[in-house]
Amino acid sequence: MSKILEVKNLNIGFNLADGFRQAIYDVNFSLEKGETLAIVGESGCGKTVSTMSILQLLPPGAQIKSGEIIYNGQNLLGFNQKQMQQIRGKKIALIPQDPMTSLNPLYTIGNQLLEVIELHQGLKGKEAVEVAIKALERVKIPDAKEKMKAYPHEFSGGMKQRVIIAMALACNAEIIIADEPTTALDVTVQAQIMEILREIKEKYNISIILITHDLGIVAQNADKIAVMYAGRIVEYASNAQLFNAPKHPYTKALLNVILDINTDTVQTIEGHPPSITDDISGCPFHPRCKDCMEICIQNDPCLKPVGASMAACHLYD
Ligand code: SF4
């Protein structure tokens, strides 16, 4: 496998009323061709901000302080908006949580697909229509030619999400960022969407960044995993390492939540993740950690190799 994307020492903050507040701390991860990287953690841990920076789609007030995002050898952080238009949708596509926010209710599915194909592939007329129909067929939309005439409201949530995936396929995107792609869907439709993503990854060697808080989906789909907490990657490991031998107490606590669901007793992680406005001293997980030591209150641990994984925890000093 060859490396297609590398995020290096990424630091991002927000300009708030009381000044600049750091949200993402020294985040590093990489993505190989045909690989699925899952980024997991509770809400507000920095998963979405880290990944939206790849597309320069950060919310107002956000500021990238330092770092590099290397895509096929070029630093995307040095790209202007015109250059980014050649990347967004065409090379790196986004599948959002709620497809209704991406599909325009006033235009047919066909119109919206053809617009994307014309913009990114430069195709028109019959040729563009053929590419659009083929893309819909690839995501298993039945009767694709007829469905081109349908409006988004005629599609279920799962079908709309398939259309978004079809747009990425029609443009030959190399990377798909799937931001909680199944959160708004019921369980059976979730499984179908994840199966389509697995299939296109294998068939077309597409790389996927999967943002989720669902470790069940991660276990079935990810090759490697970055666990985020308070804007930091606290564990970075292969699927087998993370699920068989988790290192960080936060990862272990997350895994216990799903394990207890299986035995019918739901155990949550006590406390809450810190907010961006909290002043953190030491390890940001220390107020919730059962293994907390004196040093944890003073020093923020950095990510370092622990066996075959990487973890940021003083237990391994
Ligand atoms: Fe827990 Fe300390 Fe490790 Fe933080 S550094 S996760 S507080 S043991």
Side-chain angles (χ1 to χ4, degrees), residues 234 247-250 282-297 299-301 312-317:
V234 295
K247 299 290 186 293
H248 196 279
Y250 178 58
C283 168
F285 189 57
H286 86 255
R288 306 172 80 188
C289 181
K290 291 188 170 70
D291 299 307
C292 181
M293 304 170 285
E294 194 57 38
I295 188 177
C296 308
I297 301 162
N299 295 338
D300 189 2
C313 177
H314 289 305
L315 286 174
Y316 305 101
D317 284 352

Side-chain angles (χ1 to χ4, degrees), residues 16-34:
L16 303 179
D18 63 343
F20 183 81
R21 288 285 184 161
Q22 187 145 354
I24 300 298
Y25 294 78
D26 243 346
V27 158
N28 289 276
F29 59 80
S30 64
L31 186 66
E32 313 284 325
K33 256 190 170 309

